[in-house]
Amino acid sequence: MDAIPMVTAVTRLDFLSRRDSAAALPRPSVRPSQSWTDHLRGQVEALDLDESLELLDLSDLVARQAYDAQHRGIRAALRAGATWERIGAALGTTPLTAWNSHQRWIEEQVELFELTGRDGLDDVGAVDALQLAGERPVGLRYAARGTGPAPRSDPSSQGRPSLAAGSGDDRRG
């Protein structure tokens, strides 16, 4: 795909996704609902082969950009002094899972540089990224959204996380 601005790619991806969703839904026969697609049901053509492949291409492009942006965000958070506990909580995962994911991203960036000679991380950039990431977080913690501490295990819960108030586990968001 030719280089297009990310905003354009996301807008076109959204358009094709919505059109495909509307074309796949049958027209309601009984009662109206409040869905944004109700007025389109049964009135929109399904995506043709080229549009379907464009949808795949755009979704891959946007996903790769989001993946890279997430890891640039991790690096920015680390430079600003964030801990892996805070990063894991922001991502809705454990500190160890977040750290492992970031290590894989660094490896992928090194491989990209080896392939292209310009994109990704060279040896110096990789060493800097690894130093910034620091040591592997110790211990397993349960995933908790938010900035509070990870839930603690209650001995009576046989190793399951405690969802007591103030545990930092907010599953509403």
Side-chain angles (χ1 to χ4, degrees), residues 21-80:
S21 294
L25 298 172
R27 181 179 284 276
S29 59
V30 179
R31 64 177 177 86
S33 72
Q34 300 301 320
S35 172
W36 69 268
T37 58
D38 282 350
H39 69 286
L40 299 174
R41 289 184 185 178
Q43 300 177 29
V44 177
E45 283 185 35
L47 300 180
D48 64 23
L49 178 60
D50 288 337
E51 290 171 323
S52 298
L53 294 174
E54 180 184 3
L55 178 63
L56 284 173
D57 193 31
L58 288 168
S59 64
D60 181 61
L61 172 71
V62 171
R64 280 186 282 117
Q65 289 291 325
Y67 177 71
D68 285 342
Q70 181 181 57
H71 288 280
R72 285 191 302 272
I74 288 172
R75 291 179 71 184
L78 289 169
R79 283 191 301 271

Side-chain angles (χ1 to χ4, degrees), residues 84 88 91 93-104 137 141:
W84 282 106
L91 296 173
T93 190
T94 65
L96 182 58
T97 299
W99 186 86
N100 284 336
S101 173
H102 193 60
Q103 297 299 305
R104 279 190 302 277
R141 293 199 176 90

